[in-house]
């Protein structure tokens, strides 16, 4: 199973993003069950926060439209709940990643991944996760070869 990071989802709906096509292909691969992807509640919240913020996207969505996108993602992806067990893993991730400030949110994703038994994250923010042992970081381009994107 692969955790799909927020930035991939944002690029999948942002037709202006250079990563749009590959991000969209990755979401489609999960939707058609060619790829075993999952989300965490934190990723859905981050997605909502970004797509409704005019400082972060050129064409922000209103709350209702953004929530419709969240509901659609919940249909496409299983949303895992790492529960309080993830907080036990967070201490190690904080120490390992030398976390400070807002880096806590990526450390918490790693802790949730470990609590759920997930070792692969699909993201464009590869450097944010490479410092964690046992976490494999891949971009959509690495997971979806271009020949699959064209339907072959």
């Amino acid at each position: 199973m692969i955790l799909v990071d927020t930035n991939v989802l944002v690029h999948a709906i942002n037709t202006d993003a250079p990563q749009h096509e590959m991000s969209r292909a990755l979401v489609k691969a999960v939707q058609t069950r060619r790829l075993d992807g999952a989300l965490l509640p934190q990723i859905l919240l981050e997605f909502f926060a970004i797509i409704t913020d005019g400082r972060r996207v050129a064409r922000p969505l209103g709350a209702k439209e953004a929530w419709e996108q969240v509901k659609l993602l919940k249909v496409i992806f299983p949303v895992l709940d790492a529960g309080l067990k993830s907080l036990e893993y967070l201490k190690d991730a904080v120490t390992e990643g030398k976390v400070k400030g807002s880096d806590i949110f990526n450390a918490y994703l790693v802790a949730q991944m470990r609590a759920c038994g997930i070792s692969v994250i699909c993201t464009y923010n590869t450097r944010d996760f490479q410092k964690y042992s046992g976490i494999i970081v891949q971009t959509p381009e690495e997971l979806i070869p271009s020949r699959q994107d064209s339907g072959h």
Side-chain angles (χ1 to χ4, degrees):
M1 184 163 292
I2 298 165
L3 181 69
V4 178
D5 197 12
T6 308
N7 57 69
V8 175
L9 302 177
V10 171
H11 294 318
I13 68 162
N14 180 3
T15 56
D16 296 331
Q19 305 92 338
H20 171 71
E21 290 301 324
M22 286 308 296
S23 296
R24 187 99 181 112
L26 184 118
V27 171
K28 186 77 168 169
V30 173
Q31 186 175 21
T32 59
R33 305 294 185 245
R34 289 184 292 129
L35 191 66
D36 190 15
L39 302 177
L40 293 164
Q42 176 182 336
I43 289 175
L44 291 172
L45 295 176
E46 290 174 358
F47 173 79
F48 182 92
I50 291 169
I51 66 171
T52 59
D53 186 346
R55 296 169 300 184
R56 308 216 33 211
V57 293
R59 289 176 280 180
L61 301 180
K64 185 176 180 181
E65 189 178 5
W67 196 252
E68 290 300 317
Q69 290 292 318
V70 169
K71 286 172 39 180
L72 179 61
L73 290 171
K74 287 172 46 184
V75 169
I76 296 170
F77 290 86
V79 180
L80 307 178
D81 182 4
L84 293 176
K85 184 168 87 169
S86 61
L87 291 176
E88 297 172 23
Y89 289 93
L90 185 55
K91 178 183 176 273
D92 291 336
V94 164
T95 305
E96 180 183 355
K98 299 181 174 117
V99 172
K100 58 185 173 193
S102 63
D103 291 344
I104 190 68
F105 298 108
N106 287 335
Y108 189 47
L109 280 180
V110 169
Q112 292 174 88
M113 288 173 67
R114 289 174 175 166
C116 291
I118 299 172
S119 61
V120 179
I121 185 167
C122 178
T123 184
Y124 285 104
N125 298 339
T126 56
R127 281 198 272 171
D128 292 345
F129 297 96
Q130 289 173 336
K131 59 188 168 187
Y132 297 101
S133 65
I135 300 298
I136 300 163
V137 185
Q138 295 186 300
T139 64
E141 288 80 1
E142 293 170 311
L143 290 168
I144 307 293
S146 58
R147 68 182 184 283
Q148 283 185 357
D149 188 43
S150 62
H152 297 279

